[in-house]
Each structure stands twice: as structure tokens, then as C-alpha cells.
Amino acid sequence: MTTALPPVRPWRLWLVWGVGVAAYVVSVTNRTSLSAVGVDAAVRFDADAAVLSLFAVVQLAVYGAMQIPVGLLLDRFGARPIITVGMFLMAIGQLVMAFAPDVGTAIFARMLVGAGDAAIFPSVLRVVAVWFPERQAPFLVQLTGIVGQTGQLLAILPMAAILHATKWSVAFGSLAGLGVLFTVLTFAVIRNHPPDRDADVSVDTATGAIHAVTSAADLREGFRESWAHPATRLAFWSHFTTPFSGTAFILLWGFPFLTVGEGLTPAMASLIFTVYVVFGMVAGPVIGALSSRHPMRRSRMLVLPVIGIQAFVWLVVIAWPGQAPLWLLFVLAFALSTGGPASMIGFDHARTFNPSHRLSTATGIVNVGGFLAALLAILFIGIAMDAQGAGTPDTYSLDAFRIAFLTQVPLWALGAACIVWERKRTRVHIGLDEPRSRRRDRWAR
């Protein structure tokens, strides 16, 4: 097919996208709802560092494990039912968390939150792919990620304020109520595709070409074919390596490190968290613009430098004699904030090199990467804290945090090496470079 479809009214486009992005903001708020109250959670559930890590680790494990099924379900059923179910699961999870009497129940609550959270971002990406022209997709993906991160501010400031002004059940019950509201709102507003189309398709307005997005292929075959493409693996490792340090910092370990380890007040620690979010929102458009202008140099120009900057600044903070100066902690916030926008490059790789009928499957594969790495980072930090005898808030120390945060280095090294390897294979696959064997043959002549 090459005939362009009638355009959808702009207000309808932006209404559907706006509700989807608002749902993503709520999703991020739910995901990071323990970020500023981790110490309170440790006290409430009498949890040591390893057990406290389990709250985030299990949540992220479920999130990561659900990405492929969510992608496959999106390819079959579209965005509307998946995003609605996701919001409902998060609401139930926060309600359980509000009244959880013990660690086991609280971990089950975080599992529900992780399962619901897994459905939201891929669903919004599908809304972008189906409702908007293809030329607008890269910008809107970046904008979605940027706006969505404001949910972290809701988790950092109002969440902690409500908890300390009222009680645990009120704070998490409020999040449950917000989830119910957005369950109804997403079901009422979001549709799988515009009303003038009878299928999930994307439209290239420059050429008039129409591409089917709904998959009719075998699901296992779709997964195998997506992973077999080196660009999907490049996207996976890009998303694995760039955001995990910031995720571990903002999701669980940053606030205890800043307040107990570095001796900051909760208000100053919240300011650093806020700056982290704002820096990420500023860096997103810059990284998105550079990614669009230099699509064949994204890894060397953006992804690998972002990884290097994060590792370097962290090592400076760790090696600093005594407590780090405030300016250095703000530099750390800036370095970590670049990871989220840089990770969006992975979705650009997936969208560029996979056919449209495998879009959600490839997106799910990529999304697993960052949360798998974050899961490992949070777990390693918690285990390292316990191994040093610093497993509870009253035994946390700066030296223990320093050693614990060094466990991130192997993840950076692994991810960077795989990015270099898969970048080369991708360039060979699409014909930009010759295989090494051909080069050796050429020199032999």
C-alpha cells in the first residue's frame, strides 16, 4: 500500500499521547516510590541492606521478565488493554504496600508494581508509533522519556512529605488511588489506533507508505529474529550500560548514601535528586538532537562517552578523601542524569533496524537491558554493604558505601565491551564496514 490515509485531528493525537505520557509519569512515580523513603522502609520492616535491596531487585526482576511478554502482547492486542491492565496492577500493588505487615507481603507488593510498570512505557512507545507520523517518532520518544522522568520528582518530594506528615498507609494508599484514577482514564481515552484505521499501522508522511504494526508472525520466531539482528543486541547493551547507575542511585541507594554517608540533610539530598531529574530533562533534547543528526556515530559519539563520564565521576567521588564537597555531588548528579537520555538511543536502534511488525518485541528486548543491569547493581551494592557489617541504617558508613559502589565497575566494563563488539557487527551487517576476513584477504593480495 502506498496511499496516505486521512490525517487525524491534532487535538486527538495530543490528547491520546498526553494521557499516555501522564500515565508514564505516574508509572515512574510508582517505580521510584521508595527512593526517598528507603530508610523509613528499613525501619518499618526491620530490614538489613540485602533485604532492602530485595524490594527494588524483585521489582526490577519482574519488570525485566515482563518486557518480552509485554512486547509480544502489544504486538497482538495493541496499547489500550495493556496500559490499562498495567495501571490497575500498580494500583493494587501500592494498596498492598500500604498495609503490608511484613517483608514478604511488601516484596509481593513491589512485584505487582513491577509487573504493572513493565506495561506502561512500551505501550506509550506503541501509541507514538501508531498515532504519529514516522518522522516525528524519534523526537516524541525522547520527549516521552523526558516528561516521564518528572514522576521521580513526585516520588522524591511529595511522597516523602506525605509520609512524614501522615503515616505509611496514607502515603502509599494515595498512590493506589492515583493508580485507580489512571486505570479509568487510560481505558476511556487511549485507543489502539486512530478512528479512521482498522488496524495498527504507522504512516511515513514523506512517502505516503503505510506499515502494519500488528504482528501476525509466530511469537517465538519474532523474538528469535529480533535478537538475531546485531543492532538489537547493540541496542540491548546500550540500554544495559547507560542508565543502571542512575537507576540504582535514584531508586534506592542514593538517598541513604547522601544523608548517612555524605552527611547531607534530607532537604539537600532531595535537592540533588531534583537536580538529577532536571539535568536529565535538559540533556535529553541535546542527546536526542545529536542522535538524529549522527545516526551512524551514536555509540562512539554519545553512548560510550556517557558511560565513561559516569564511571569517571563515580570513581572521583569514591576516591575523594573524606566526605565529597557539595559541588562534586552535583557533578555526580549531572553525570548520572545523562544515562537515561542516552539509553533512549537503544530504542532508536531497535526502531531503525527492525521491521514494524517486530517493533514492540524488539523494544521489550531492549528495555530488559537497563533494568537487568540496575537489578544487578542494586543487589551487588546491598550484598557489599552487608558483607562489611553495614547492613542497617545505624551501621551505614561512608567507607562502606564507597566499596559497595565499586561493584558497578564490572557492569560498565562488560557493557562497554559488548557495545564495541556489537557496533562492529551491526556496521558489517548493514554494509557500512567489511568483515575482518575480507580485510585480511585484501591485505594478502
Side-chain angles (χ1 to χ4, degrees), residues 154-216:
L154 298 178
I156 294 165
L157 301 174
M159 183 65 184
I162 293 173
L163 175 61
H164 296 146
T166 57
K167 56 183 180 179
W168 183 273
S169 59
V170 173
F172 283 88
S174 299
L175 284 178
L178 191 62
V180 171
L181 172 63
F182 271 85
T183 299
V184 175
L185 190 60
T186 52
F187 182 79
V189 174
I190 291 179
R191 294 294 183 271
N192 285 351
H193 46 75
D196 56 349
R197 304 173 195 171
D198 57 4
D200 285 11
V201 299
S202 63
V203 180
D204 186 341
T205 53
T207 64
I210 300 171
H211 307 289
V213 177
T214 301
S215 174

Coordinates of all heavy atoms in Angstrom, one line a residue, residues 154-216:
L154 N 7.9 13.6 41.9 CA 6.7 13.3 42.8 C 7.1 12.3 43.8 O 6.6 12.3 45.0 CB 5.6 12.8 41.9 CG 5.0 13.7 40.9 CD1 3.9 13.1 40.1 CD2 4.5 15.0 41.6
A155 N 8.0 11.3 43.5 CA 8.4 10.3 44.4 C 9.4 10.9 45.5 O 9.4 10.4 46.6 CB 9.1 9.1 43.7
I156 N 10.2 11.9 45.0 CA 11.2 12.4 45.9 C 10.6 13.4 46.9 O 10.9 13.3 48.1 CB 12.3 13.1 45.1 CG1 13.1 12.1 44.2 CG2 13.3 13.9 46.0 CD1 13.9 12.8 43.1
L157 N 9.8 14.3 46.5 CA 9.3 15.4 47.3 C 8.0 15.2 48.0 O 7.9 14.9 49.2 CB 9.4 16.7 46.5 CG 10.7 17.1 46.0 CD1 10.6 18.3 45.1 CD2 11.7 17.4 47.1
P158 N 6.9 15.1 47.2 CA 5.6 14.9 47.8 C 5.4 13.6 48.6 O 4.8 13.5 49.7 CB 4.6 15.0 46.7 CG 5.3 15.7 45.6 CD 6.7 15.4 45.8
M159 N 6.0 12.5 48.0 CA 5.9 11.2 48.7 C 6.5 11.3 50.1 O 5.9 10.8 51.1 CB 6.5 10.2 47.8 CG 6.4 8.8 48.3 SD 4.7 8.2 48.3 CE 4.9 6.6 49.1
A160 N 7.7 11.8 50.2 CA 8.4 11.8 51.5 C 7.6 12.8 52.4 O 7.5 12.5 53.6 CB 9.8 12.3 51.3
A161 N 7.1 13.9 51.9 CA 6.4 14.9 52.7 C 5.1 14.3 53.3 O 4.8 14.4 54.4 CB 6.1 16.1 51.9
I162 N 4.4 13.6 52.4 CA 3.1 12.9 52.8 C 3.4 11.9 53.9 O 2.7 11.8 54.9 CB 2.4 12.3 51.6 CG1 1.9 13.4 50.7 CG2 1.2 11.5 52.1 CD1 1.3 12.9 49.4
L163 N 4.5 11.1 53.7 CA 4.8 10.0 54.6 C 5.1 10.6 56.0 O 4.6 10.1 57.0 CB 5.9 9.2 54.1 CG 6.5 8.1 55.0 CD1 5.4 7.1 55.4 CD2 7.7 7.4 54.4
H164 N 6.0 11.6 56.0 CA 6.4 12.2 57.3 C 5.3 13.0 57.9 O 5.4 13.3 59.2 CB 7.7 13.0 57.1 CG 8.8 12.1 56.6 ND1 9.8 12.6 55.7 CD2 9.1 10.8 56.9 CE1 10.7 11.6 55.5 NE2 10.3 10.5 56.2
A165 N 4.4 13.5 57.1 CA 3.3 14.3 57.7 C 2.1 13.5 58.2 O 1.3 13.9 59.1 CB 2.8 15.3 56.7
T166 N 2.0 12.3 57.6 CA 0.8 11.4 58.0 C 1.4 10.1 58.5 O 2.0 10.0 59.5 CB -0.1 11.2 56.8 OG1 0.6 10.7 55.7 CG2 -0.7 12.5 56.4
K167 N 1.2 9.0 57.7 CA 1.7 7.7 58.0 C 1.9 6.9 56.7 O 1.4 7.3 55.6 CB 0.8 7.0 59.0 CG -0.6 6.9 58.6 CD -1.4 6.2 59.7 CE -2.9 6.0 59.3 NZ -3.7 5.4 60.4
W168 N 2.5 5.7 56.9 CA 2.9 4.9 55.8 C 1.6 4.5 54.9 O 1.6 4.6 53.7 CB 3.5 3.6 56.3 CG 4.0 2.6 55.3 CD1 3.3 1.7 54.7 CD2 5.3 2.6 54.7 NE1 4.0 1.0 53.8 CE2 5.3 1.5 53.8 CE3 6.5 3.3 54.9 CZ2 6.4 1.2 53.1 CZ3 7.6 2.9 54.2 CH2 7.6 1.9 53.3
S169 N 0.5 4.1 55.6 CA -0.6 3.6 54.8 C -1.3 4.8 54.0 O -1.8 4.5 52.9 CB -1.7 3.0 55.8 OG -2.1 4.0 56.8
V170 N -1.2 6.0 54.5 CA -1.8 7.1 53.8 C -1.0 7.4 52.6 O -1.5 7.7 51.5 CB -1.9 8.4 54.7 CG1 -2.4 9.6 53.9 CG2 -2.9 8.1 55.9
A171 N 0.4 7.4 52.7 CA 1.2 7.8 51.6 C 1.1 6.8 50.5 O 0.9 7.2 49.3 CB 2.7 7.8 52.1
F172 N 1.2 5.5 50.8 CA 1.1 4.5 49.7 C -0.4 4.3 49.2 O -0.6 3.9 48.1 CB 1.7 3.2 50.1 CG 3.2 3.3 50.1 CD1 4.0 3.7 51.2 CD2 3.9 2.9 48.9 CE1 5.3 3.8 51.1 CE2 5.3 3.0 48.9 CZ 6.0 3.5 50.0
G173 N -1.3 4.5 50.1 CA -2.7 4.5 49.7 C -3.1 5.6 48.7 O -3.9 5.4 47.8
S174 N -2.4 6.7 48.9 CA -2.6 7.8 47.9 C -2.1 7.4 46.5 O -2.8 7.7 45.5 CB -1.9 9.1 48.4 OG -2.4 9.5 49.6
L175 N -1.0 6.7 46.5 CA -0.5 6.3 45.2 C -1.5 5.2 44.6 O -1.7 5.2 43.3 CB 0.9 5.7 45.3 CG 2.0 6.6 45.5 CD1 3.3 5.9 45.7 CD2 2.1 7.6 44.3
A176 N -2.1 4.4 45.4 CA -3.0 3.4 44.9 C -4.2 4.1 44.3 O -4.7 3.7 43.2 CB -3.5 2.5 46.1
G177 N -4.7 5.2 45.0 CA -5.9 5.9 44.4 C -5.5 6.6 43.1 O -6.4 6.6 42.2
L178 N -4.3 7.1 43.0 CA -3.9 7.7 41.7 C -3.9 6.7 40.6 O -4.2 6.9 39.5 CB -2.5 8.4 41.9 CG -2.0 9.3 40.8 CD1 -2.9 10.5 40.6 CD2 -0.6 9.7 41.1
G179 N -3.4 5.5 41.0 CA -3.4 4.4 40.0 C -4.8 4.0 39.5 O -5.0 3.8 38.3
V180 N -5.8 4.0 40.4 CA -7.2 3.7 40.0 C -7.7 4.8 39.1 O -8.3 4.5 38.1 CB -8.1 3.6 41.3 CG1 -9.5 3.5 40.9 CG2 -7.7 2.4 42.1
L181 N -7.4 6.0 39.4 CA -7.8 7.1 38.5 C -7.3 6.9 37.1 O -8.0 7.1 36.1 CB -7.3 8.4 39.1 CG -7.5 9.7 38.2 CD1 -9.0 9.9 38.0 CD2 -6.9 10.9 38.9
F182 N -6.0 6.6 37.0 CA -5.4 6.5 35.7 C -5.8 5.2 35.0 O -5.7 5.1 33.8 CB -3.9 6.7 35.7 CG -3.5 8.1 35.6 CD1 -3.5 8.9 36.7 CD2 -3.2 8.6 34.4 CE1 -3.1 10.3 36.6 CE2 -2.8 10.0 34.2 CZ -2.8 10.8 35.3
T183 N -6.2 4.2 35.7 CA -6.8 3.0 35.1 C -8.0 3.3 34.3 O -8.2 2.9 33.2 CB -7.1 1.9 36.2 OG1 -5.9 1.6 36.9 CG2 -7.7 0.7 35.5
V184 N -8.9 4.1 34.9 CA -10.1 4.6 34.3 C -9.8 5.5 33.1 O -10.4 5.4 32.0 CB -11.0 5.3 35.3 CG1 -12.3 5.8 34.6 CG2 -11.4 4.3 36.4
L185 N -8.9 6.4 33.3 CA -8.5 7.5 32.3 C -7.9 6.9 31.1 O -8.3 7.2 29.9 CB -7.6 8.5 32.9 CG -7.4 9.8 32.1 CD1 -8.7 10.5 31.9 CD2 -6.4 10.7 32.8
T186 N -7.0 6.0 31.2 CA -6.3 5.3 30.1 C -7.3 4.5 29.3 O -7.3 4.5 28.0 CB -5.1 4.5 30.5 OG1 -5.5 3.6 31.5 CG2 -4.0 5.4 31.0
F187 N -8.2 3.8 30.0 CA -9.2 3.0 29.3 C -10.2 3.9 28.5 O -10.6 3.5 27.4 CB -10.0 2.1 30.3 CG -11.0 1.2 29.6 CD1 -10.6 0.0 29.0 CD2 -12.3 1.5 29.6 CE1 -11.5 -0.8 28.4 CE2 -13.3 0.7 29.0 CZ -12.8 -0.5 28.4
A188 N -10.5 5.0 29.1 CA -11.5 5.9 28.4 C -10.9 6.7 27.2 O -11.7 6.9 26.3 CB -12.0 6.9 29.5
V189 N -9.7 7.0 27.3 CA -9.1 7.9 26.3 C -8.3 7.2 25.2 O -8.4 7.5 24.0 CB -8.3 9.0 27.0 CG1 -7.6 9.9 25.9 CG2 -9.1 9.9 27.9
I190 N -7.4 6.3 25.6 CA -6.4 5.7 24.7 C -7.1 4.7 23.8 O -8.0 3.9 24.3 CB -5.3 5.1 25.5 CG1 -4.4 6.2 26.1 CG2 -4.4 4.2 24.5 CD1 -3.2 5.7 26.9
R191 N -6.8 4.7 22.5 CA -7.3 3.7 21.6 C -6.1 3.1 20.9 O -5.0 3.7 20.8 CB -8.2 4.3 20.5 CG -9.5 4.8 21.1 CD -10.4 3.7 21.7 NE -11.7 4.1 22.2 CZ -11.9 4.5 23.4 NH1 -10.9 4.5 24.3 NH2 -13.1 4.9 23.8
N192 N -6.3 1.8 20.4 CA -5.1 1.2 19.8 C -4.7 1.9 18.5 O -3.5 1.9 18.2 CB -5.5 -0.3 19.4 CG -5.6 -1.2 20.6 OD1 -5.1 -0.8 21.7 ND2 -6.1 -2.4 20.4
H193 N -5.6 2.5 17.8 CA -5.2 3.2 16.5 C -6.2 4.3 16.3 O -7.3 4.3 16.8 CB -5.1 2.2 15.4 CG -6.3 1.2 15.3 ND1 -7.5 1.6 14.8 CD2 -6.4 -0.1 15.6 CE1 -8.4 0.6 14.9 NE2 -7.7 -0.4 15.3
P194 N -5.9 5.2 15.4 CA -6.8 6.3 15.1 C -8.2 5.7 14.5 O -8.2 4.7 13.9 CB -6.1 7.1 14.0 CG -4.7 6.8 14.3 CD -4.6 5.4 14.7
P195 N -9.2 6.5 14.7 CA -10.6 6.0 14.3 C -10.7 5.8 12.8 O -11.6 5.0 12.4 CB -11.5 7.1 14.8 CG -10.7 8.3 14.9 CD -9.3 7.9 15.3
D196 N -9.9 6.4 12.0 CA -10.0 6.2 10.5 C -9.2 5.0 10.0 O -9.1 4.8 8.8 CB -9.6 7.5 9.8 CG -8.2 7.9 10.1 OD1 -7.6 7.3 11.1 OD2 -7.6 8.7 9.4
R197 N -8.7 4.2 10.9 CA -8.0 3.0 10.5 C -8.5 1.8 11.2 O -9.0 1.9 12.3 CB -6.5 3.1 10.9 CG -5.8 4.4 10.3 CD -4.4 4.6 10.7 NE -4.0 6.0 10.4 CZ -2.9 6.5 10.9 NH1 -2.1 5.8 11.7 NH2 -2.6 7.8 10.6
D198 N -8.4 0.6 10.6 CA -9.0 -0.6 11.2 C -7.9 -1.5 11.6 O -8.1 -2.7 11.9 CB -9.9 -1.3 10.2 CG -9.2 -1.6 8.9 OD1 -8.0 -1.4 8.8 OD2 -9.9 -2.1 8.0
A199 N -6.6 -1.0 11.7 CA -5.5 -1.8 12.2 C -4.4 -0.9 12.7 O -4.4 0.3 12.5 CB -5.0 -2.7 11.0
D200 N -3.5 -1.5 13.5 CA -2.4 -0.8 14.0 C -1.3 -0.6 12.8 O -0.6 -1.6 12.5 CB -1.7 -1.5 15.1 CG -2.5 -1.4 16.4 OD1 -3.7 -0.9 16.3 OD2 -2.0 -1.8 17.5
V201 N -1.2 0.6 12.3 CA -0.3 0.9 11.2 C 0.4 2.2 11.6 O -0.1 3.0 12.3 CB -1.0 1.0 9.9 CG1 -1.7 -0.3 9.5 CG2 -2.0 2.2 9.8
S202 N 1.6 2.4 11.0 CA 2.3 3.6 11.1 C 2.5 4.2 9.7 O 2.5 3.4 8.7 CB 3.7 3.4 11.7 OG 4.5 2.6 10.9
V203 N 2.5 5.5 9.6 CA 2.5 6.2 8.3 C 3.7 7.0 8.1 O 4.1 7.8 9.0 CB 1.2 7.1 8.2 CG1 1.2 7.8 6.8 CG2 0.0 6.2 8.3
D204 N 4.4 6.9 7.0 CA 5.5 7.7 6.7 C 4.9 8.9 5.8 O 4.6 8.7 4.6 CB 6.6 7.0 5.9 CG 7.8 7.8 5.6 OD1 7.7 9.0 5.7 OD2 8.9 7.2 5.3
T205 N 4.8 10.1 6.4 CA 4.2 11.2 5.7 C 5.0 11.7 4.5 O 4.5 12.4 3.6 CB 3.8 12.3 6.6 OG1 5.0 12.7 7.3 CG2 2.8 11.9 7.6
A206 N 6.3 11.4 4.6 CA 7.2 11.9 3.5 C 6.9 11.1 2.2 O 7.0 11.6 1.1 CB 8.6 11.8 3.9
T207 N 6.6 9.8 2.3 CA 6.5 8.9 1.1 C 5.0 8.4 1.0 O 4.7 7.9 -0.1 CB 7.4 7.7 1.2 OG1 7.0 6.9 2.4 CG2 8.8 8.1 1.4
G208 N 4.2 8.6 2.0 CA 2.9 8.0 2.0 C 2.8 6.5 2.3 O 1.7 6.0 2.2
A209 N 3.9 5.9 2.6 CA 3.9 4.4 2.8 C 3.3 4.1 4.1 O 3.4 4.9 5.1 CB 5.4 3.9 2.8
I210 N 2.5 3.0 4.2 CA 1.8 2.6 5.4 C 2.4 1.2 5.8 O 2.5 0.3 4.9 CB 0.3 2.4 5.1 CG1 -0.3 3.8 4.7 CG2 -0.4 1.9 6.3 CD1 -1.7 3.7 4.2
H211 N 2.8 1.1 7.0 CA 3.4 -0.2 7.5 C 2.6 -0.7 8.6 O 2.2 -0.1 9.6 CB 4.8 0.1 8.1 CG 5.7 0.8 7.1 ND1 6.2 0.2 5.9 CD2 6.2 2.1 7.1 CE1 6.9 1.1 5.3 NE2 6.9 2.2 5.9
A212 N 2.2 -2.0 8.5 CA 1.5 -2.7 9.6 C 2.4 -2.9 10.8 O 3.5 -3.2 10.7 CB 1.0 -4.1 9.1
V213 N 1.8 -2.6 12.0 CA 2.5 -2.7 13.2 C 2.0 -4.0 14.0 O 2.8 -4.6 14.7 CB 2.3 -1.5 14.1 CG1 2.9 -1.7 15.5 CG2 2.8 -0.3 13.4
T214 N 0.8 -4.4 13.8 CA 0.3 -5.6 14.4 C 1.0 -6.9 13.8 O 1.0 -7.0 12.6 CB -1.2 -5.8 14.3 OG1 -1.8 -4.6 14.9 CG2 -1.7 -7.0 15.0
S215 N 1.5 -7.7 14.7 CA 2.2 -8.9 14.2 C 1.2 -10.1 13.9 O 0.4 -10.4 14.7 CB 3.2 -9.4 15.2 OG 3.8 -10.6 14.9
A216 N 1.5 -10.7 12.8 CA 0.8 -12.0 12.6 C 1.7 -13.1 12.5 O 1.4 -14.3 12.2 CB 0.0 -11.9 11.2

